[in-house]
Amino acid sequence: WSWSDSRIVEVNPQTPSYLYYPGQTATYVPTHTGSIIASYAKGATTATWSTNFIGSVSQLNWFKPWLYYSIEVRHATYGTRNSISNLGRSPTKGYSKSDLTMTHRLNMWASATLNVRNVLNSFNSDMGGRYPSLGRTTYLGVSLRKSR
């Protein structure tokens, strides 16, 4: 588990105020990060559950969907009336992602594996809704060993 609370102390007066200001948190640096891993094994079966946590992240508003859709419109008439100079910053919510891996030894020469990435099917990412992460992916496998 880690915690980061770094702040800007002083800003050059020539820097636009919407970019940096005293007391602002570091941009794109999560407030907290952490990981929990639990494993279980009995007989021929093993299972591992891992969860990674990412805390709130301060980011520029141009990664927010409302601004993205207003900038990327085909005709300016359909965009919202937002000024680029009024972007500012806002925090994104923290999130967690979990993975599950299970292996079962079928016999002396074969094992079956199940690997589920992003078990809870979370699309959150550090960059917000404009850059979603992959949803759940599931892998099934068989390992074969040559006997002597």
Side-chain angles (χ1 to χ4, degrees):
W1 185 262
S2 70
W3 175 57
S4 173
D5 191 18
S6 57
R7 306 276 178 173
I8 293 176
V9 177
E10 188 176 350
V11 178
N12 183 330
Q14 296 177 345
T15 304
S17 62
Y18 65 87
L19 290 177
Y20 303 103
Y21 55 88
Q24 173 186 336
T25 59
T27 307
Y28 308 117
V29 176
T31 56
H32 297 81
T33 59
S35 179
I36 295 175
I37 299 173
S39 295
Y40 173 80
K42 183 172 182 177
T45 303
T46 61
T48 302
W49 180 280
S50 63
T51 301
N52 295 306
F53 303 96
I54 302 293
S56 178
V57 175
S58 173
Q59 66 179 0
L60 297 173
N61 280 336
W62 60 56
F63 291 109
K64 299 296 183 184
W66 61 265
L67 184 61
Y68 171 70
Y69 295 130
S70 68
I71 292 172
E72 303 293 331
V73 295
R74 185 171 174 200
H75 297 288
T77 306
Y78 301 127
T80 59
R81 297 181 185 194
N82 293 311
S83 169
I84 296 298
S85 64
N86 191 23
L87 286 176
R89 298 171 185 270
S90 61
T92 61
K93 292 181 180 179
Y95 63 92
S96 66
K97 301 232 174 164
S98 298
D99 301 328
L100 172 67
T101 302
M102 296 181 72
T103 303
H104 182 75
R105 188 160 189 164
L106 302 171
N107 53 40
M108 293 292 289
W109 51 270
S111 297
T113 302
L114 169 69
N115 187 356
V116 182
R117 309 264 333 229
N118 194 1
V119 174
L120 302 175
N121 204 25
S122 169
F123 293 96
N124 295 353
S125 76
D126 295 344
M127 300 307 286
R130 185 173 179 187
Y131 300 102
S133 64
L134 288 176
R136 181 184 312 116
T137 53
T138 304
Y139 303 94
L140 296 172
V142 176
S143 298
L144 303 174
R145 289 176 289 284
K146 182 180 176 184
S147 60
R148 293 182 177 188

